[in-house]
Amino acid sequence: MVVRDPVSAPDAQGRPKRATRRFPLFTRDTARPEGGGRAAGGDAPAPARQWPVLTVVGLVGIGLLITGLDVFRWGLVLVGVALLIGAALRWSVQDVGMLAVRSRFTDIVTYGVLGITIAMLALMAQPNAPLKIPFLNDLLHFTVSS
């Protein structure tokens, strides 16, 4: 048996396998993100296998449709809530299919921050903003007047 690189060792059948967590010198394949398998079994139809991402994309589509119908505030709040649902699904469901893009932590933080930001900005938009944060008005006047 020939071991080609110093980071491989033979397994029980005598084939070389990786024994350390160091990256190989040359990348031969792209690793699937954690949780990036099918969300349902292979015998399920294609939409059922990707139900988490279809849920999030469907809610975003409905939110954009509502926004296009000139109810921009609540349509964008729905877009933000859809991203927060995506973060919750990424946190709670083991296999989320194509909703897994990066590591679990990065996906949760990205979906969560974007969802909160979009929802808060939609609620703070003028006229008649239902959410008022007092220090933001002072911050705006400070940055514009400087």
Side-chain angles (χ1 to χ4, degrees):
M1 176 180 57
V2 176
V3 177
R4 297 182 192 240
D5 58 354
V7 297
S8 61
D11 62 4
Q13 286 78 26
R15 295 181 306 248
K17 71 171 193 146
R18 296 190 47 80
T20 68
R21 294 179 57 105
R22 292 192 326 184
F23 292 109
L25 184 59
F26 299 105
T27 302
R28 292 184 179 83
D29 195 8
T30 303
R32 190 176 347 177
E34 171 194 357
R38 294 178 173 152
D43 55 342
R49 289 193 304 257
Q50 297 297 333
W51 68 267
V53 74
L54 291 176
T55 302
V56 173
V57 169
L59 287 173
V60 167
I62 292 170
L64 291 176
L65 179 67
I66 292 171
T67 302
L69 295 174
D70 209 23
V71 188
F72 79 97
R73 185 182 323 273
W74 302 113
L76 290 178
V77 167
L78 183 59
V79 170
V81 167
L83 289 172
L84 291 174
I85 289 172
L89 285 173
R90 187 69 173 101
W91 181 54
S92 61
V93 178
Q94 185 67 15
D95 290 323
V96 290
M98 292 192 317
L99 192 61
V101 179
R102 298 157 293 267
S103 70
R104 184 179 301 267
F105 175 78
T106 305
D107 282 343
I108 291 169
V109 169
T110 303
Y111 295 146
V113 167
L114 286 175
I116 288 172
T117 303
I118 290 172
M120 283 188 61
L121 287 175
L123 290 173
M124 292 184 336
Q126 295 295 329
N128 305 324
L131 178 64
K132 293 180 176 37
I133 300 177
F135 72 88
L136 287 180
N137 197 18
D138 297 334
L139 182 67
L140 176 68
H141 287 298
F142 176 75
T143 56
V144 171
S145 64
S146 305

